[in-house]
Every structure is written in C-alpha cells, then in structure tokens.
Amino acid sequence: MRRPLSPILAKVAEQELNETPDRIQQDIIILRVWIRQQPHLRARTDDDFLIAFLRRCRYSLEETKRRIDRYFTYYNLFPEIMNNRCVTQRLLDINRLGVCLYPDMPKCDNRTALFIARFGHFDPNLYMLREIYHFSSMAMEIVALENDYASVAGICEIIDLEGVSSDKMRRFDKVFFRKWWNWLYHCSPLKIKEMYIINMPKDIQSTIMFLYNVLSMQVNYPIRVLKSSEELFEHIGKECLPEEYGGTNGHMAECIAYMEDLLNSYRGYFEQDCRYGTIEELRHGEIATYEAEFGASGSFRKLNWD
C-alpha cells in the first residue's frame, strides 16, 4: 500500500514530476511487464522501488526503463559499491562515524531533503573511501523508498570538508570517484537539486576547485562554494539544519540513530540483493515500444529530459 503524499508534496509531484495518482498503478504494471520481458534483467518490482524511479524520471516511461536498466547494469560495472550490500556490524560502525548524515524531519523551506557528507570524519587507515560510498549507496536507496520529500522534491547536499587533509586528498582515487559520480547522476533514483561546499581547508583548495569546475560543467544544478557554514543560512532554513550547524533540526546523533534503525529494518531487503543485476550475454538491443514513448493510453509521455 503506497503512502499518501501530504497536500504540499502532492502538488509538487503533480506540477514538477507529472505524477497522476490514478495512473501510477498502470505505470507500475507496464514496468513490471517490461522487466519480465527483458531476458538479461533481474530487477526489483515492488511498488515503492518502481515509484522512486518513475519520480526520478518525471514519469517518462522510456527514461524510467533506461535508468532501471542502468541501475542494475552497474551491479556488474561497479561491484565495489553494488556487490555484497549487506547490513553488517562494520556497516553500522560506518554509519556511527557520522560521515554521511540523513536528517529526518522537519524539511527545508524548499521541501528538499537534506544530505550532509563529512569526509573528514573517517580515518583512511581504518576505512576505505569505497566503504563509505558502499554505505552511502545503501542509505540512499533506503531514503528513496522511505522519504517522500527526497523522492519527490529531491536532495539538497552539503559537502563539509572540515578535517579533510592534503594526505587524504593524495589517496583520492579519481577513477573510482568518476564511477561513483556516473552512478549518482545516471543510475540513482534520487535527484540532487543543489549542492553546497563548506569548510574547505586552504591546502586542498586547488584540488577541490578543479573538481568543482569539472562537476559544474556536467550537472544542471547549482554547486556553490561557501566561505563559512554560516552562509548556509542564506540558502537553507535553520529548521532544516542540525543544531551542530546552527539549526533547529535535532542533533547529528539523532540522524545516525535514525539511519541505524532503518538499516536494521532493511536487513531482509538487502539480503535479497544477490538476486538482482544483469546477465549481459542475454541482453538484446533496446527497442522503444509504443507505451514507452506514449503511455498505455496513447498520451504523449516522451518528456524533455534534464
């Protein structure tokens, strides 16, 4: 049973995502039939999972199929992140580091959900960066299923670089980061709407600004480098930020506990992850079907894709 959206979110979903409640179940059925018809594809078909991808693709069936295919193709292309996704004690320990935070309620004024990444809060001698992203991929999938603000209104991401040293940057794997960025931009069911970079140490400024310039040319959302965390107040309401950032949205410890509860509740979900992926030897060429282009009722559905 799908969760009903709040009136505000329902309006956002209708105006920005082309969501029509009466048509959702029909779209889900179309996707399930299509998945069964793909000999190479082993994909999840539960309602919430498919709805998250439909929302990410603004209910273009054609783009939703492509994104789902890419998502499960990355089980083969990006095994460092997409293989062995199980809720282990080490995964819970990574969550407790507070490197990636996912505050719950309340939300920002612009209704987007908030993510905070603090890469200075883990010891690279104890944890590899790919372990952090491995955790993040699982957490983001859970958020896509659990947080309607995230799946409907998108993500506002804060990159806090406090504690990131030049030594950590020397260990930075650019090839791995490029694969992660491609997964995030082309596969993830969540849409980033804006990004803020704060607390950038001087000794890594040139490296970060290089990445900033590269990423700014590749994405269609604003990436802003702020001189201080206080500047966040000009862009994000205090009611959205945790108290450690001068806001009123609880403490970081509560964000960590919130995600730990979710991870534990999704143990069975991720134990099934080994069933999914693609068998490339069985892949046929992609064929655009009538309903993929125009929908089951013939209504125009091929949208201008961002």
Side-chain angles (χ1 to χ4, degrees), residues 75-205:
Y75 276 58
N76 296 333
L77 298 180
F78 205 10
E80 307 97 310
I81 295 300
M82 301 304 292
N83 282 1
N84 302 315
R85 296 200 305 168
C86 297
V87 180
T88 63
Q89 185 57 53
R90 189 167 179 83
L91 190 83
L92 296 177
D93 290 341
I94 290 174
N95 177 56
R96 292 168 188 169
L97 294 174
V99 178
C100 301
L101 300 170
Y102 306 87
D104 188 17
M105 291 287 285
K107 310 301 181 209
C108 302
D109 288 340
N110 58 6
R111 298 178 300 273
T112 54
L114 186 68
F115 283 6
I116 303 174
R118 305 186 302 163
F119 294 109
H121 285 256
F122 78 97
D123 185 344
N125 295 311
L126 300 177
Y127 297 94
M128 299 175 66
L129 182 59
R130 62 187 57 192
E131 290 184 280
I132 304 300
Y133 283 130
H134 185 263
F135 157 77
S136 185
S137 75
M138 296 171 67
M140 290 178 70
E141 187 164 328
I142 293 173
V143 169
L145 302 178
E146 291 286 332
N147 189 323
D148 292 329
Y149 284 84
S151 67
V152 172
I155 301 298
C156 168
E157 184 168 10
I158 298 172
I159 308 295
D160 187 345
L161 297 176
E162 183 179 12
V164 177
S165 63
S166 56
D167 177 61
K168 286 186 178 180
M169 291 306 299
R170 279 193 292 271
R171 305 187 191 197
F172 183 72
D173 186 335
K174 294 181 181 178
V175 174
F176 178 82
F177 177 77
R178 189 180 300 116
K179 292 174 72 173
W180 166 258
W181 187 262
N182 285 335
W183 178 87
L184 190 66
Y185 194 68
H186 295 292
C187 305
S188 170
L190 291 177
K191 181 179 179 65
I192 297 176
K193 300 292 285 293
E194 54 190 345
M195 181 184 294
Y196 301 94
I197 301 173
I198 63 172
N199 297 329
M200 180 166 50
K202 291 183 179 180
D203 61 341
I204 67 169
Q205 186 170 349

Side-chain angles (χ1 to χ4, degrees), residues 16-30:
E16 298 183 11
L17 306 182
N18 306 300
E19 182 165 297
T20 303
D22 292 342
R23 198 181 62 202
I24 292 175
Q25 195 59 43
Q26 186 179 54
D27 288 349
I28 289 173
I29 293 172
I30 290 172

Side-chain angles (χ1 to χ4, degrees), residues 34-45 49 68-69 71-73 75-76 272-280 282-283:
W34 174 79
I35 289 170
R36 286 198 299 268
Q37 291 174 342
Q38 309 312 304
H40 70 285
L41 183 60
R42 306 292 184 268
R44 294 184 184 272
T45 58
F49 187 88
I68 289 174
D69 196 331
Y71 188 84
F72 289 101
T73 298
Y75 276 58
N76 296 333
Q272 299 174 4
D273 219 38
C274 60
R275 303 178 184 176
Y276 305 111
T278 59
I279 304 173
E280 294 303 316
L282 301 179
R283 181 186 291 273

Side-chain angles (χ1 to χ4, degrees), residues 237-295:
K238 288 188 176 183
E239 68 276 10
C240 186
L241 292 167
E243 293 185 18
E244 289 84 351
Y245 285 90
T248 59
N249 189 10
H251 293 280
M252 292 182 185
E254 295 172 322
C255 301
I256 294 170
Y258 165 66
M259 180 51 65
E260 181 159 334
D261 287 343
L262 285 176
L263 286 167
N264 282 318
S265 69
Y266 272 75
R267 283 181 181 271
Y269 176 93
F270 285 112
E271 286 172 358
Q272 299 174 4
D273 219 38
C274 60
R275 303 178 184 176
Y276 305 111
T278 59
I279 304 173
E280 294 303 316
E281 294 81 0
L282 301 179
R283 181 186 291 273
H284 295 162
E286 289 190 6
I287 300 174
T289 62
Y290 179 86
E291 64 265 29
E293 295 282 351
F294 302 105

